[in-house]
Amino acid sequence: MPNGSTLVSDVMSTSLATVRPDATVTHAATKMHGEAISALLVPTTEVGIVTSTDVIGTLAEGRDPDETTVSAVMTEAVETVPPGLRLTEAAAMMENFGISHLPVVDDDFVGMVSSTDITAQMS
């Protein structure tokens, strides 16, 4: 399939890992490492996301990851995309918003697309 017609659903990860907002950053980091992923959905009233960048930021700021909760470092009001969106449009969204992960939503959360997924597809 040519790059211009590749859809988010063609490259997204369909296994969605989650973490509780009251979990520690250490727990989130351990889960990401164990599952070889770099983002976790955080189910709250509005879904959030915690990424490896958030974990690194916690450490860089000198915060204790065993005492800092996911809710303190996660992004809330997350941008999402539908599975039928063209991959080039998802890439443009990531560039515009300065983000590297987009949850994929179709009635419910069905996957995650990352900048790594897009780069692998486009190369």
Side-chain angles (χ1 to χ4, degrees), residues 100-116:
S100 57
H101 294 84
L102 286 166
V104 183
V105 178
D106 184 18
D107 290 341
D108 199 1
F109 289 90
V110 295
M112 180 85 71
V113 64
S114 71
S115 57
T116 304

Side-chain angles (χ1 to χ4, degrees), residues 8-82:
V8 166
S9 60
D10 296 328
V11 301
M12 70 183 190
S13 302
T14 54
S15 59
L16 286 174
T18 62
V19 66
R20 294 172 43 110
D22 60 351
T24 65
V25 170
T26 298
H27 175 78
T30 301
K31 188 167 188 171
M32 282 187 246
H33 179 73
E35 297 190 26
I37 56 176
S38 56
L40 299 167
L41 286 180
V42 185
T44 59
T45 307
E46 260 192 70
V47 149
I49 190 170
V50 63
T51 67
S52 56
T53 303
D54 298 320
V55 172
I56 292 167
T58 300
L59 298 173
E61 293 165 6
R63 297 166 82 179
D64 183 347
D66 290 325
E67 298 293 325
T68 305
T69 62
V70 166
S71 63
V73 300
M74 71 183 198
T75 300
E76 297 180 88
V78 175
E79 295 294 330
T80 62
V81 294

